[in-house]
Amino acid sequence: MSVNDSLVVVVLAQAVLYGTPLLYAALGELLAERSGVLNLGVEGMMLFGAAVGYWVTQSVHGADAPVLVLALVGAALSGAAMAAIHAFLTITLRASQIVSGLALTIFAGGLGLSAYFGAELDLASLPVTHQFASLDVLGLADLPVLGPILFDQSALVYASWVLTLLVAVYLGRTRWGLNVRAVGEAPASADAMGINVTRYRYIHVLVGGALAGIGGACFSLSIIPNWFAGDSLVNGAGWIAIALVIFAFWRPGICLVGAYLFGGLSALPSALQAHGVTIPPEFLYSLPYVMTIVVLVVVSTSLAKRRLGAPAALGIPYVREER
Amino acid sequence: MIRLERRLDQPKWLSVAVPVGSLIAAFAIMAVILAVTGHAPGHTYRQMLEAGFTGNGAFSATLLSATPILFTGLAAAAAFRMQLFNIGAEGQLYLGAVGASWIALKLGDGDAGSTPLYVLAMCVAAGVMGALWALIPGVLRAFANTNEIITSLMLNYVAGFLITYLIFDSSSYWRDVSTLQAQSFPQGKPMPAGAEWPTFGSSVVVPLGFLIGLGVAASLWMLYSRTRFGFEVSVIADSPRAARYAGMRTRRKILAVMAISGGIAGIGGASQIGDFTHTLDPTGLQGAAFGYTGIVVAALARYNPFAVCLVAVLLGGLQNAGFTLQGPDFPSGLVGVMQGIILFCALGGELLIRYRVTISRRARARADTGSAAEPAR
């Protein structure tokens, strides 16, 4: 047995695979939260993105690459459309961000629009036609240890690395990024500086939704290329992505690390079972959820100590005349 | 130009008119979606009304569907009142079902006269289990300041795996292994006859669980609007800082409110066992998403316990109709879409309760501000 078939390498390679949807969704949520809007609808937006992405691959015929790009565009647009509802309710109508986000997850999720959409178009009965294949980058896929982890992944993975870098540079090194942070920390001051708070919030919530949609499409086009009715496709990844943003102290680079940590936990059950470990699977399946709680507890106690925290205006609607 | 002015006092009639208006708006939006996807909205709505309310035996079935979401709705309302977002009613209900079925099986076959004993024991066991499960996020929130939204939600998944494990992947106390058939198709042990909760009425059958839910709603209202505890909860909700200065013990309140909320959801699990399934059924419990529907119920009722009862019956009717009508004619997911739209409309309508919307022409608005500024100079 080569080293690349060992449990550790398999889990690490799968960690990158399973971590990628988390990374997209978490980066999207991070952008929205940095602008001061908490969106708890990630789970719903992801599932709807997964459904629409899958539908596009079914209804467009052609070579893999253009069809898959189109599918991602479709997933992004559908995620953004869902986010637009949340943006309108919370930014324009000043509704509670928490309740609106929960409503979005119920509306778009496995018992709502995604199921409706999937059933109306009979997605579950359609066979897979296009999916993201792993690329053998520079012919290094057979490299011991690093090969399967870094060089044998799909284009979605490499694009997510570029995206992480872009988001980090955008937030930390550009004028717009500075404005976003101002809007999230002190909207009244930002407003006084002439920054359009409403516009910034809308844009970032929509982009966040688009990225959640792409994250969902990672499931239906790459990890489990298929569509099932119900919740089981995304299965809580949206909620883990929200936790990930807290874990990452609202910083994109740490999101990348955290995504692979949780991706590894999601990959562990099937890898262990393949290696003949006989722990009841339910305990293994609970692992990512339990670990999310553990990580959150550790982070929230240290957050308090180090005075690192959420954007100050997170969750608070901005009303010019009531500041 | 549209302007929003904060209302100084919120008229009573608005808090009735706005939810009703939201409902009408939601049904109108849904009609458009139905029409666009090639279903006749009028026909679908008529079918839903019949299957949910007016048909033969429909209202009894609706009350049965309304019972679990009445409990989860009250659970959500109890916590949301304090700005404590317990969205773990789903898992707390599962744990309640586990506790209730455990005690009922322990008590074994009693004589039929002991049903009140079973009901009491099941409610207590379920309430305790639900409260303990809810105290996990409660303790974490109170002492580690961990966001209870995510922790309580994560525990829903864990609770789901737990009940699946109990029936499908172990030979636990709850699993029926008495026959060969039950060994190959895993199912829970049937409850003893005494643990079947009675029903009341003949033309409209009211399950005992629903009545218990009404009692819980009344007690919750008493607790929140007639006691010192309830007053402190509302102060903490409105202004945590003021509450701290006044010496209110926020941590204890968090723990108490989470325990109450989880306990109510847990009793919902007992009612599922006693009123409906008469066995621990992981697939049925997880498919129904009672906990999430409870959030819709609570939000639509604006966290008022009595309104929760009404809304639960309404959404119970919707769920019952969805269950009865499922098939090619009635798209799956319609119920969730409807719930989402109703909640969106209610949230949008909230604006009308808190703000007065005035529409004035831009030129006149300018003139107004101009004349108002004049005397100041």
Side-chain angles (χ1 to χ4, degrees), chain A residues 38 40 43 85-86 89 92-96 98-100 102-104 106-107 111-113 115-117 119-120 231 235-237 239-240 242-243 246 280-283 285-286 288-290 292-293 296-297 300-301 304 319 321-322, chain B residues 4 6 30 33-34 37 39 80 85 87 140 143-147 149-151 153-155 157-158 161 164-165 168-169 287-289 292-293 295-296 299 303 331-337 339-341 343-344 347-348 351 354-355:
Chain A
L38 175 69
L40 294 179
E43 179 83 6
I85 303 175
H86 181 69
L89 281 172
T92 304
L93 298 186
R94 307 169 191 177
S96 153
I98 292 175
V99 183
S100 167
L102 291 173
L104 184 57
I106 293 167
F107 172 72
L111 295 170
L113 194 61
Y116 189 99
F117 185 84
E120 288 292 289
D231 215 358
N235 222 347
W239 294 101
I240 295 180
I242 295 170
I246 302 173
E282 285 82 7
F283 288 89
Y285 295 144
S286 325
Y289 307 105
V290 174
T292 305
I293 297 174
L296 274 184
V297 172
S300 50
T301 42
V319 183
E321 59 271 28
E322 283 175 17
Chain B
L4 300 174
R6 191 174 266 277
M30 193 65 219
I33 296 181
L34 280 169
T37 52
H39 300 274
F80 284 29
F85 293 94
I87 47 180
L140 295 179
F143 293 97
N145 203 24
T146 308
N147 183 323
I149 300 176
I150 297 169
T151 51
L153 187 104
M154 290 289 136
L155 285 172
Y157 288 95
V158 178
F161 288 125
T164 307
Y165 171 73
F168 286 95
D169 256 322
Y292 302 109
T293 311
I295 297 168
V296 182
Y303 317 132
S332 78
L334 183 67
V335 172
V337 173
Q339 287 175 352
I341 294 178
L343 196 45
F344 286 143
L347 277 171
L351 179 89
R354 286 186 295 138
Y355 295 90

Side-chain angles (χ1 to χ4, degrees), chain B residues 4-363:
Chain B
L4 300 174
E5 295 165 9
R6 191 174 266 277
R7 287 180 194 277
L8 293 177
D9 54 321
Q10 303 177 349
K12 265 262 153 48
W13 64 271
L14 264 179
S15 61
V16 176
V18 167
V20 172
S22 311
L23 267 180
I24 295 170
F27 275 91
I29 295 171
M30 193 65 219
V32 175
I33 296 181
L34 280 169
V36 167
T37 52
H39 300 274
H43 177 66
T44 311
Y45 283 163
R46 216 169 307 123
Q47 270 188 320
M48 283 167 70
L49 190 67
E50 196 182 321
F53 296 97
T54 56
N56 195 10
F59 194 64
S60 305
T62 287
L63 285 183
L64 197 58
S65 302
T67 304
I69 58 176
L70 169 58
F71 283 104
T72 53
L74 288 171
F80 284 29
R81 266 276 178 108
M82 200 175 112
Q83 302 286 317
L84 202 56
F85 293 94
N86 171 23
I87 47 180
E90 185 81 22
Q92 291 142 20
L93 183 131
Y94 300 167
L95 266 287
V98 169
S101 49
W102 176 79
I103 199 109
L105 289 170
K106 271 284 174 215
L107 287 171
D109 275 309
D111 47 313
S114 62
T115 296
L117 172 75
Y118 278 97
V119 173
L120 187 67
M122 285 166 81
C123 285
V124 170
V128 169
M129 288 294 278
L132 287 177
W133 196 249
L135 275 174
I136 302 172
V139 167
L140 295 179
R141 166 66 198 270
F143 293 97
N145 203 24
T146 308
N147 183 323
E148 77 283 3
I149 300 176
I150 297 169
T151 51
S152 63
L153 187 104
M154 290 289 136
L155 285 172
N156 289 346
Y157 288 95
V158 178
F161 288 125
L162 179 70
I163 54 172
T164 307
Y165 171 73
L166 290 179
I167 301 299
F168 286 95
D169 256 322
S170 66
S171 37
S172 72
Y173 185 68
W174 289 264
R175 181 170 171 184
D176 186 2
V177 283
S178 56
T179 63
L180 204 64
Q181 202 222 347
Q183 279 168 9
S184 44
F185 299 100
Q187 61 185 60
K189 280 181 193 161
M191 292 298 125
E196 280 189 26
W197 290 12
T199 54
F200 301 91
S202 53
S203 60
V204 173
V205 181
V206 183
L208 175 65
F210 190 79
L211 298 179
I212 295 178
L214 295 182
V216 171
S219 334
L220 200 62
W221 177 80
M222 280 290 286
L223 181 69
Y224 276 177
S225 54
R226 289 287 178 275
T227 67
R228 185 197 167 98
F229 176 86
F231 172 71
E232 296 197 352
V233 163
S234 59
V235 174
I236 293 172
D238 288 339
S239 170
R241 196 178 287 176
R244 215 169 42 243
Y245 289 150
M248 293 175 188
R249 295 170 186 269
T250 310
R251 277 183 179 166
R252 282 191 193 178
K253 291 291 173 308
I254 291 175
L255 296 182
V257 167
M258 281 304 273
I260 291 170
S261 171
I264 296 173
I267 298 173
S271 131
Q272 269 297 289
I273 300 284
D275 283 322
F276 191 52
T277 56
H278 309 301
T279 178
L280 186 62
D281 171 22
T283 328
L285 279 180
Q286 290 180 71
F290 294 130
Y292 302 109
T293 311
I295 297 168
V296 182
V297 172
L300 199 57
R302 307 189 73 232
Y303 317 132
N304 176 319
F306 292 125
V308 165
C309 302
L310 258 177
V311 176
V313 172
L314 198 75
L315 290 195
L318 186 63
Q319 246 179 358
N320 174 31
F323 183 73
T324 321
L325 297 174
Q326 61 183 332
D329 223 18
F330 191 82
S332 78
L334 183 67
V335 172
V337 173
M338 282 251 39
Q339 287 175 352
I341 294 178
I342 292 174
L343 196 45
F344 286 143
C345 289
L347 277 171
E350 193 80 353
L351 179 89
L352 299 176
I353 298 181
R354 286 186 295 138
Y355 295 90
R356 189 194 310 276
V357 181
T358 52
I359 302 170
S360 53
R361 255 178 266 133
R362 191 174 275 271

Side-chain angles (χ1 to χ4, degrees), chain A residues 261-275:
Chain A
L261 178 72
F262 283 105
L265 289 169
S266 309
L268 206 54
S270 48
L272 281 178
Q273 277 176 323
H275 275 71

